[in-house]
Amino acid sequence: MSTPVTIEPDEWAEIPDDPTALLERWLPGNDDPQRPLMTLATLDEDGAPDARSLLLSEWDADGFYWHTDSRSRKIAQVTRRPAVALCVPLLGIPSPDVRHQLVVQGRAEPASDLEQRRAYAARPPYLQQLAWQNTPGFAALPQHERVSAWRKFADARPDALTPPATWVGYLVRPDRLTFWFGSADTASRRLEYTRRGEGWERRILAG
């Protein structure tokens, strides 16, 4: 007896001209406390690829925002070479059994002061404190000292913190967006949007 096939929702029934409509379906709103984890890919001083995971803080019509310490290696890299890529795995959207992935290619630039303050205020207390204490010196401490120092800092500043001077945000303005549609019933496929002037050019690719 053959296994019954459950047909997944056909998101290809209406392909929008503007990728924003898909982003609104795939990504959580900026007021959702659960932020997607993504990979940021950069180039180092020798042109070799580098990558790390971080949170997608916000997104809007201009692009995608992330925040970090201004002394970090990734900031040095995007300052030198602003071309970057983001990879955002999205599981269970629009239904629990569907697997999607969004890949963004574009250029990184500093976010506005207003956006940085807003994003910091929206972060939970743990991540606010992390912005203050996640330093090389703190990382080098023995674990028991790290735990003690973390608790002392939290007790001394129980209210919402203002961002430290090293807190910085970046906006990635996309030149290309690739939506990967996974499927349990058939082959995966991709929908790619490439910026052309003020609009977007679409094409369908194999998965």
Side-chain angles (χ1 to χ4, degrees):
M1 181 181 295
S2 61
T3 303
V5 174
T6 301
I7 303 300
E8 298 164 353
D10 187 3
E11 294 188 271
W12 294 73
E14 295 183 9
I15 300 177
D17 293 329
D18 190 312
T20 303
L22 272 179
L23 293 173
E24 290 174 345
R25 295 210 299 262
W26 282 32
L27 296 176
N30 293 333
D31 57 348
D32 189 330
Q34 298 299 317
R35 308 313 304 155
L37 188 67
M38 64 182 183
T39 299
L40 167 68
T42 56
L43 297 172
D44 69 13
E45 61 273 14
D46 298 319
D50 198 358
R52 74 288 292 157
S53 296
L54 70 171
L55 295 177
L56 171 62
S57 297
E58 298 184 312
W59 72 276
D60 59 23
D62 292 327
F64 306 85
Y65 298 86
W66 49 271
H67 299 81
T68 190
D69 192 296
S70 61
R71 299 163 293 184
S72 65
R73 182 165 57 193
K74 53 186 168 292
I75 293 300
Q77 291 173 353
V78 300
T79 300
R80 186 181 300 110
R81 299 170 184 243
V84 301
L86 306 172
C87 182
V88 190
L90 299 161
L91 309 180
I93 300 173
S95 64
D97 297 327
V98 175
R99 299 294 183 266
H100 286 161
Q101 181 173 271
L102 170 66
V103 177
V104 180
Q105 289 177 286
R107 297 181 69 82
E109 63 184 57
S112 69
D113 291 340
L114 176 62
E115 190 282 332
Q116 293 184 52
R117 291 194 298 270
R118 181 176 66 245
Y120 187 85
R123 294 209 157 189
Y126 172 85
L127 292 180
Q128 290 181 339
Q129 184 173 342
L130 191 67
W132 283 89
Q133 291 193 277
N134 195 22
T135 65
F138 190 80
L141 293 174
Q143 181 68 358
H144 71 279
E145 292 185 27
R146 287 163 45 81
V147 171
S148 176
W150 184 272
R151 290 174 178 168
K152 288 179 180 178
F153 189 95
D155 291 342
R157 306 189 67 167
D159 299 328
L161 301 172
T162 57
T166 53
W167 165 263
V168 65
Y170 268 71
L171 162 66
V172 176
R173 292 188 184 273
D175 298 317
R176 188 166 75 190
L177 296 164
T178 305
F179 297 81
W180 179 85
F181 294 73
S183 175
D185 302 321
T186 186
S188 59
R189 53 181 169 175
R190 292 173 291 157
L191 175 59
E192 182 179 273
Y193 289 84
T194 303
R195 192 181 294 280
R196 296 284 185 257
E198 297 300 317
W200 296 91
E201 179 183 280
R202 299 174 309 179
R203 65 173 181 160
I204 296 173
L205 303 170

